[in-house]
Amino acid sequence: DTKCIRPTIDLPNGYPFRWHAHFVEVHLRAEHVLDGRRYDGELQMNHLGQQDQKRELSTVSVMLDASGWQDDPKLQQYIDEWQALSDRIKDDCAKRELSVGP
């Protein structure tokens, strides 16, 4: 059922299969340091491996800098679209689970 397929990433350097999005975490005050700097926040997108990489987890982190004088409308648009897509997939999958029930 294509309505319940999670987003995936394709990792380079010899990882032959796509990795499925599993969960997202937002840390206000970054968990990691990059070039000696700890950023204001960190968005971590966690993916699970498939087939030969089952039970492996890959995390993609995006550092967030809150030093701007105003909100970034492009970033807000991205967040809003991501939330709408996440809600739609969750609802579609819940409907599918109800229709497949015992």
Side-chain angles (χ1 to χ4, degrees):
D1 185 356
T2 58
K3 290 183 179 182
C4 292
I5 295 175
R6 294 176 183 230
T8 63
I9 60 170
D10 182 14
L11 295 176
N13 301 327
Y15 292 98
F17 305 107
R18 297 192 68 79
W19 294 61
H20 290 266
H22 187 59
F23 62 94
V24 174
E25 293 180 319
V26 177
H27 298 273
L28 299 178
R29 182 124 170 95
E31 187 175 60
H32 297 94
V33 175
L34 183 63
D35 292 332
R37 179 177 175 199
R38 184 173 304 273
Y39 284 78
D40 300 312
E42 183 174 350
L43 173 68
Q44 294 179 342
M45 297 165 279
N46 298 278
H47 300 77
L48 289 176
Q50 302 300 305
Q51 297 177 12
D52 289 345
Q53 285 116 223
K54 278 192 176 171
R55 298 190 176 273
E56 292 184 28
L57 183 70
S58 174
T59 302
V60 177
S61 290
V62 177
M63 299 303 183
L64 305 173
D65 180 2
S67 64
W69 290 99
Q70 60 188 11
D71 291 341
D72 185 341
K74 289 182 183 179
L75 177 61
Q76 188 61 51
Q77 179 183 357
Y78 172 77
I79 292 169
D80 293 344
E81 289 174 9
W82 171 68
Q83 185 65 57
L85 177 62
S86 175
D87 292 344
R88 188 171 69 240
I89 290 171
K90 182 178 177 182
D91 290 346
D92 288 345
C93 292
K95 289 175 190 172
R96 182 176 152 260
E97 288 173 9
L98 288 175
S99 68
V100 175

